[in-house]
Each structure stands twice: as structure tokens, then as C-alpha cells.
Amino acid sequence: QVQLVESGGGSVQSGGSLRLSCTASGLTHSRYCMGWFRQVPGKEREGVAAVGSDRSISYADSVQGRFTISQDNAKNMYLQMDDLKPEDTAIYYCAALTVQPWSVLVCSSSFRPSYWGQGTQVTVSS
């Protein structure tokens, strides 16, 4: 069973930076997507960034050039968020999708996860 735990959320002023971490356990599959999603109350959850088991990386247009996704050898995942804006305020979720070795895998920032973390709040004030 895959378990994902986020950390690193908090409050920051506009233009500031935060780094989110996602600790992954049970992710033994060789082919997967991992990514970050965010949600504001009353709105749909949106994909922010994703990294594939082939090291492919995808970003939503709204964060391109400001956010950087990365992953270490233990499959823990990170999101470095720079030049934060008030509209980045949301609950951020770590997510993962695993597939069989023979399955097609397209790891875009809007992939459909099978596993979710509990979320961490990010608040950016103007």
C-alpha cells in the first residue's frame, strides 16, 4: 500500500519561497507518476507539477518558471516554490499513480492519481 505524507506548508508573503516535501512509502512499482495538486475551497483540485519514473517533468502553465519539482532516489518528492503569489494559496496534496510494466504511462501535471496524501496548507499574503 502506497502512503504519502506531505510537510513544509506554511505562511509567507508575496514573492517569498516555500519548499514542500512528500515522503513516500510502499512505492515499489517501477513505473509511476508522482505529483503535486492544489485545491482552494469551492474550486476543483488542479494539477501543479508531476515527475515520472522516467524522470519526465511537467508543470502547469500557472507555475512554470516559479516552481521546481524534484525527486530523490528514495522516491521522496519535493516542490520548491519561489516568487509565490496570493493566488498560490491552497491546500497542496502529494499524489501518485502506479501502472503495470506493460501499461502506457503519460505523466502530465494533470494525471489521475490513485493515491493521495493528507494535504498541507500554503498561504501567501499580499
Side-chain angles (χ1 to χ4, degrees):
Q1 183 73 10
V2 176
Q3 292 187 323
L4 307 170
V5 179
E6 304 96 336
S7 61
S11 297
V12 66
Q13 289 192 328
S14 182
S17 298
L18 283 173
R19 179 177 169 88
L20 303 182
S21 300
C22 175
T23 301
S25 60
L27 188 58
T28 59
H29 301 72
S30 59
R31 300 186 73 237
Y32 60 85
C33 279
M34 288 188 72
W36 293 94
F37 289 72
R38 65 187 181 186
Q39 188 169 25
V40 175
K43 293 188 177 181
E44 290 189 0
R45 195 170 295 189
E46 65 170 350
V48 174
V51 57
S53 50
D54 61 354
R55 298 302 183 185
S56 61
I57 288 177
S58 174
Y59 295 100
D61 290 343
S62 58
V63 305
Q64 181 78 48
R66 300 188 298 121
F67 290 10
T68 303
I69 190 171
S70 61
Q71 189 174 47
D72 62 24
N73 291 335
K75 298 179 181 174
N76 299 315
M77 183 176 62
Y78 308 92
L79 186 68
Q80 177 66 39
M81 304 185 293
D82 298 317
D83 190 24
L84 282 161
K85 303 176 181 181
E87 52 264 40
D88 295 317
T89 296
I91 298 175
Y92 283 71
Y93 297 89
C94 174
L97 166 69
T98 60
V99 300
Q100 297 298 325
W102 56 84
S103 298
V104 174
L105 179 64
V106 179
C107 198
S108 72
S109 60
S110 59
F111 75 96
R112 293 190 174 186
S114 300
Y115 305 97
W116 293 95
Q118 82 287 354
T120 185
Q121 177 70 47
V122 170
T123 302
V124 184
S125 58
S126 58

